[in-house]
Amino acid sequence: MKERYIGLMSGTSLDGIDAVLIEADGDALRVEAALCHPWPSDTARELHALCTPGENEIDRLGVADNLVAREFAAATQALLAKAGLGPADIRAIGSHGQTIRHRPHLNFTLQIGNAALLAALTGIDVISDFRTMDMALGGQGAPLVPAFHQALFAKPDALRVVLNLGGIANISVLPGHSDGVYGFDTGPANTLLDGWYRRHHPQGGDYDAGGNWATSGTLVPELLAKLLAHPYFAAPWPKSTGREMFTLEWLDGELASDAYAPVDVQRTLQALTCHSIARQLPALDKAHGQAELFACGGGAHNLPLLAELAALLPRWRLASTAELGLAPDWVEGAAFAWLAARFIHRQPGNLPAVTGASRPAVLGALYPA
């Protein structure tokens, strides 16, 4: 039976709320409408601040929880208006919320965005809190999208990897048979690039559009080697990480007293993203012919970054998920709409081989409108 779901996603880059409306029929889906709702600048600043431990966190968190819900509701209403639909046309909203902390080594993750308020404001049932059941079962709670990637993008007897370039980069390895799927966070993608850009670019702005500033810099090999020595990159999977691990404060410590030009650091951070991804992939293609990598997320528009990654992976064919029928900007939003449908029909949403959970589980909690 065909049903409509809305997926709401804001990632670690805080570059906007992705709102995606899908029509689902089992695991088959079609995107009917999508948009990116910008964060108000003052809300974005507060969310960035909350991602780092600070003063009076509980009160600030409570206020931000409601602010996030109101912006998610505004994104939903704008999406419904764009599609010419009303609340009664939507079976449920799948709301990822905004991650404020992700500390899997402490069995703890926190996404805010008051789901009860979101349901009240939209008049639509809300499914949220997708990560905690997986963590209750001993998993990392992330990444959750490989199950969605498997359902939509896997091709029998072919090796495909889906690479999401958000604040953190993650890969889904789809070997062409359902029992071999796995995935993990490879490390930082845009989180350090965006943070360094905001701090140092003379013209200001939130991110390095098209990677233009990084391209104008010079790679610093000794700095790249130092950054790649972080133990996370060599850790075995299952593994997941967040901006709490790869912070500007960590970067400052690695830079120490070395006086590198800010633009050269930006260029080296681009290389860090590419090398930390490429290190995970060469062994995967030995048993195949040409393996395929499909990029999604905001970083899929960073052509210099993709070109550098392609140079590191000469045996791989790189493309966008648009080639598979889903625009790169809407993959994660569609994934959480799909996860909402899985919850409604009491179907598992996690892959234990990915997260490390002890068993598959229905993910999420329901907040009726």
Side-chain angles (χ1 to χ4, degrees):
M1 183 179 77
K2 293 182 180 179
E3 299 174 313
R4 289 188 174 100
Y5 293 86
I6 289 174
L8 300 173
M9 173 70 190
S10 175
T12 52
S13 293
L14 277 163
D15 51 2
I17 301 163
D18 294 337
V20 180
L21 170 66
I22 69 167
E23 181 184 74
D25 186 0
D27 277 339
L29 66 83
R30 179 175 66 89
V31 173
E32 290 193 335
L35 57 82
C36 183
H37 177 80
W39 284 108
S41 57
D42 55 344
T43 302
R45 281 194 299 271
E46 179 60 11
L47 292 173
H48 277 297
L50 273 172
C51 288
T52 302
E55 296 289 331
N56 198 28
E57 284 189 316
I58 293 177
D59 285 345
R60 290 167 54 212
L61 185 65
V63 172
D65 193 34
N66 291 335
L67 287 174
V68 170
R70 292 185 184 281
E71 292 304 322
F72 273 35
T76 300
Q77 289 153 0
L79 183 65
L80 289 173
K82 181 176 182 178
L85 300 173
D89 297 310
I90 309 302
R91 181 67 181 83
I93 292 170
S95 175
H96 172 267
Q98 179 63 55
T99 298
I100 299 299
R101 293 286 192 282
H102 183 65
R103 302 196 188 278
H105 63 290
L106 299 176
N107 197 35
F108 168 65
T109 190
L110 176 62
Q111 289 75 41
I112 63 172
N114 188 333
L117 179 58
L118 177 58
L121 291 172
T122 60
I124 303 170
D125 290 355
V126 173
I127 317 300
S128 67
D129 194 21
F130 287 100
R131 299 192 183 276
T132 54
M133 177 54 78
D134 185 86
M135 297 192 90
L137 294 169
Q140 297 267 320
L144 295 182
V145 290
F148 173 71
H149 294 159
Q150 165 69 9
L152 260 71
F153 300 141
K155 180 181 179 182
D157 301 318
L159 174 62
R160 286 179 167 177
V161 171
V162 180
L163 168 65
N164 176 51
L165 291 165
I168 299 296
N170 57 69
I171 58 172
S172 300
V173 181
L174 313 176
H177 44 88
S178 60
D179 60 350
V181 178
Y182 66 95
F184 51 88
D185 292 343
T186 60
N190 297 322
T191 185
L192 289 174
L193 286 165
D194 292 350
W196 190 258
Y197 182 91
R198 283 192 296 269
R199 182 196 281 183
H200 288 286
H201 193 266
Q203 317 262 296
D206 290 327
Y207 66 97
D208 185 11
N212 292 327
W213 192 48
T215 302
S216 68
T218 300
L219 176 67
V220 184
E222 66 271 20
L223 175 59
L224 175 61
K226 192 174 183 182
L227 298 179
L228 284 169
H230 191 294
Y232 181 82
F233 299 123
W237 53 271
K239 62 179 179 177
S240 62
T241 188
R243 57 188 291 169
E244 302 89 352
M245 182 174 289
F246 294 102
T247 64
L248 288 182
E249 290 71 24
W250 166 73
L251 178 59
D252 289 340
E254 297 300 306
L255 292 171
S257 59
D258 295 320
Y260 300 120
V263 69
D264 294 341
V265 175
Q266 186 78 0
R267 173 66 186 86
T268 305
L269 291 175
Q270 176 182 292
L272 174 66
T273 293
C274 295
H275 281 260
S276 60
I277 294 166
R279 282 184 170 194
Q280 310 290 335
L281 296 177
L284 298 176
D285 68 353
K286 289 179 180 176
H288 297 75
Q290 185 182 55
E292 297 178 305
L293 185 148
F294 296 92
C296 60
H301 302 291
N302 188 330
L303 298 184
L305 187 152
L306 293 179
E308 182 169 1
L309 183 60
L312 294 170
L313 298 169
R315 291 185 59 188
W316 288 73
R317 186 176 78 85
L318 271 62
S320 160
T321 56
E323 186 175 303
L324 303 179
L326 189 52
D329 290 329
W330 311 130
V331 172
E332 282 205 302
F336 282 92
W338 180 84
L339 283 168
R342 301 286 287 184
F343 175 93
I344 291 295
H345 295 284
R346 297 300 186 267
Q347 296 172 309
N350 64 334
L351 290 175
V354 172
T355 66
S358 59
R359 62 171 173 84
V362 177
L363 304 181
L366 170 65
Y367 290 79

